[in-house]
Amino acid sequence: MTRLLMLVEGQSEESFVKRTLAPHLARYGVFVQVIVLWTKRLASGGACNWGQIRRNLDALRADSHAWLTTLLDFYGLPDDVPGYQEARSPGDPRQRVNALQARLAAEVGHPRFIPFLALHEFEAWIFADSKALAAHFGRAELEQLAAKAIAMAGEPERINHGPDTHPKARL
């Protein structure tokens, strides 16, 4: 049995992990405990600064037998996250996020810490199946709107950083 402590950004991520990811991983002997990032912005989710994220991670590191990961959005990370400014530079977004995850792993320095950042934000995954999105909300027009957003970006995870264009704003 492997225990995985997963620090998540907000209630949407918490719900996804509990309802979808944890049951899937349990079939492989991985048991997930979800921890919502403690913030002063609990109603809206998200972290205020790197120190806050680091304090949450440090508290979880005390469990020396568990693995540790995150489910945080690349979009909207605090500016003081180590490596974040470099990760926002031009270039392939996946390579930039991978480099940032490596930087965070080095910063935390825990042998069982594998950081994960959603590119660009968790809500992009909702665009993965435009038919399911439309059916879930009972609004047929959403299928075409979601398909258009995906076509413009190239794929759901490339719906990006703009204040009016990031996935959550589109939803």
Side-chain angles (χ1 to χ4, degrees):
M1 170 181 98
T2 300
R3 288 183 36 254
L4 177 64
L5 306 177
M6 184 174 288
L7 182 66
V8 301
E9 186 166 319
Q11 287 91 9
S12 296
E13 292 86 354
E14 177 186 27
S15 179
F16 167 74
V17 172
K18 285 182 174 179
R19 292 181 183 181
T20 304
L21 192 56
H24 173 75
L25 291 175
R27 288 182 261 163
Y28 298 95
V30 177
F31 297 93
V32 180
Q33 180 181 349
V34 183
I35 299 93
V36 178
L37 180 63
W38 186 84
T39 72
K40 291 184 179 180
R41 298 181 351 187
L42 276 179
S44 61
C48 296
N49 59 55
W50 168 243
Q52 182 181 58
I53 295 170
R54 182 64 194 249
R55 281 188 297 279
N56 279 258
L57 291 171
D58 286 346
L60 298 176
R61 285 176 34 166
D63 187 335
S64 61
H65 299 290
W67 287 81
L68 176 59
T69 192
T70 59
L71 176 49
L72 304 174
D73 294 341
F74 175 63
Y75 175 77
L77 278 174
D79 288 338
D80 66 340
V81 168
Y84 184 60
Q85 293 305 316
E86 296 87 354
R88 293 186 67 195
S89 63
D92 180 81
R94 278 198 175 77
Q95 290 177 353
R96 293 182 286 130
V97 167
N98 286 339
L100 181 55
Q101 290 172 160
R103 173 78 184 270
L104 295 177
E107 288 286 330
V108 172
H110 188 278
R112 286 183 306 283
F113 175 52
I114 303 171
F116 177 79
L117 301 171
L119 172 71
H120 288 277
E121 62 183 358
F122 166 76
E123 286 80 4
W125 300 349
I126 295 169
F127 286 85
D129 187 337
S130 56
K131 287 181 184 181
L133 174 65
H136 176 77
F137 288 105
R139 294 182 50 200
E141 74 276 11
L142 289 179
E143 181 178 351
Q144 196 169 35
L145 292 170
K148 182 179 177 183
I150 294 166
M152 288 175 60
E155 64 176 284
E157 285 190 322
R158 291 197 184 249
I159 299 172
N160 66 16
H161 264 71
D164 299 321
T165 59
H166 65 90
K168 191 172 182 179
R170 291 175 191 252
L171 290 173

